[in-house]
Amino acid sequence: MINQTNLVFMEIRELIGKITLQENISPIERNKVSGTFVIHIPNPLASYYSRFTEVNRPNSIVLATKHPVSFEKILRATKIINKEHDLELNGAKCEITIGRNKYSGIRLTGIDRYTNIDHIQVAFKESGFEFHKNVRLGKGTDAMIRINKFFDMLEVEDKIYQSPNNKDRYYFEIPRYVNWNDFREMTFDIKNNVSVTNYDIAKGIIYEKDGITDILRIIKPNITVDMVRQIREKYLDRLS
């Protein structure tokens, strides 16, 4: 594990990009503006983290919008809402695919309790956002999620990065693009052939001045750089 006391001496890279993941999402039925479509994306390691906290708070919420909205509009509105309502929301552009249906929306983290969701919705509505009408959705529905977001990264080894905000989250670069079906098949095989267990992985890209860099994101409680290195080597073997 990287020595946390050394983080202040390392440069934090602030980058913009996208992350793609597959999760079982659930609808928010209460504490929302009536007739709107609100989705909860669970923490992939919720069963682990919930043992250490009694606070029942949403992990990640998507406010589905009537029409696609720009990342810029979401960022501007989130900044104003945070200032006016003394909140610490993190807003991002999001697209969710459920079967053949695609929904655009505002992905929000930093909501401290479920009962605040409707108040936050009202604030976004007052900022000019129109919400999608409610969609009947079963609990634990499989969905593909794509999120435009900012990444904060500390390079702890060549092309391996740790989140300065979450010691259990790492990123590493891969040499080329891989489509989702190939990534899923590859991941299934790797998880059965590596000693590291119980980790969640997603794929993404970051935008840099010299082009796009493909990355994978790993989350695991108490993960170490050595564990990340083991997993990365498996992917590099298959992508070389």
Side-chain angles (χ1 to χ4, degrees):
M1 177 70 69
I2 182 173
N3 186 339
Q4 299 294 313
T5 61
N6 291 331
L7 294 185
V8 293
F9 302 107
M10 303 173 69
E11 181 182 358
I12 298 176
R13 301 180 68 195
E14 297 179 330
L15 302 164
I16 190 170
K18 295 182 181 180
I19 201 81
T20 302
L21 58 153
Q22 188 170 7
E23 292 289 351
N24 293 324
I25 62 174
S26 297
I28 295 293
E29 303 288 5
R30 297 183 297 171
N31 304 310
K32 67 174 184 177
V33 172
S34 179
T36 62
F37 187 29
V38 182
I39 297 164
H40 181 238
I41 304 172
N43 187 321
L45 302 175
S47 60
Y48 174 87
Y49 289 119
S50 62
R51 288 183 288 166
F52 301 96
T53 176
E54 295 180 357
V55 178
N56 185 21
R57 65 181 64 183
N59 173 61
S60 181
I61 292 293
V62 176
L63 309 179
T65 53
K66 187 174 181 179
H67 306 289
V69 292
S70 70
F71 195 13
E72 177 184 348
K73 183 176 180 179
I74 292 170
L75 292 176
R76 288 184 183 278
T78 303
K79 183 176 181 179
I80 293 170
I81 290 167
N82 280 337
K83 183 177 181 180
E84 291 182 347
H85 299 272
D86 193 25
L87 297 171
E88 296 182 358
L89 303 175
N90 186 306
K93 181 179 178 180
C94 181
E95 179 185 88
I96 293 183
T97 302
I98 305 171
R100 296 182 178 179
N101 299 314
K102 288 187 179 182
Y103 305 95
S104 297
I106 307 163
R107 195 292 305 266
L108 294 171
T109 58
I111 301 176
D112 58 354
R113 53 180 58 88
Y114 284 94
T115 52
N116 280 345
I117 292 173
D118 57 345
H119 304 300
I120 292 168
Q121 269 190 285
V122 169
F124 275 97
K125 184 176 181 180
E126 291 174 347
S127 296
F129 292 85
E130 294 183 86
F131 296 120
H132 196 286
K133 65 180 181 180
N134 190 41
V135 174
R136 294 180 64 86
L137 191 69
K139 185 176 181 181
T141 296
D142 182 66
M144 287 289 299
I145 305 160
R146 293 178 178 84
I147 303 168
N148 293 55
K149 60 173 288 181
F150 286 96
F151 297 88
D152 288 340
M153 296 179 170
L154 288 163
E155 189 167 16
V156 296
E157 279 192 13
D158 183 36
K159 299 182 179 181
I160 296 179
Y161 309 89
Q162 185 184 33
S163 166
N165 306 310
N166 184 342
K167 63 182 180 61
D168 296 331
R169 179 183 291 129
Y170 280 81
Y171 306 90
F172 61 82
E173 296 182 23
I174 54 175
R176 63 177 175 84
Y177 169 78
V178 56
N179 66 49
W180 183 260
N181 288 335
D182 289 344
F183 170 69
R184 184 169 54 185
E185 182 178 338
M186 193 181 303
T187 297
F188 180 80
D189 181 59
I190 290 172
K191 284 193 171 186
N192 286 310
N193 290 281
V194 69
S195 61
V196 186
T197 60
N198 300 321
Y199 62 88
D200 182 78
I201 191 161
K203 77 184 194 80
I205 58 174
I206 50 176
Y207 300 108
E208 301 186 89
K209 63 181 180 180
D210 57 349
I212 290 174
T213 299
D214 290 282
I215 59 170
L216 299 185
R217 182 226 65 195
I218 298 178
I219 301 176
K220 175 180 169 63
N222 303 315
I223 192 170
T224 65
V225 176
D226 182 64
M227 292 177 185
V228 177
R229 192 185 303 119
Q230 291 180 53
I231 297 168
R232 180 173 183 262
E233 287 173 356
K234 294 288 186 182
Y235 281 95
L236 295 184
D237 286 343
R238 286 160 174 78
L239 292 170
S240 60

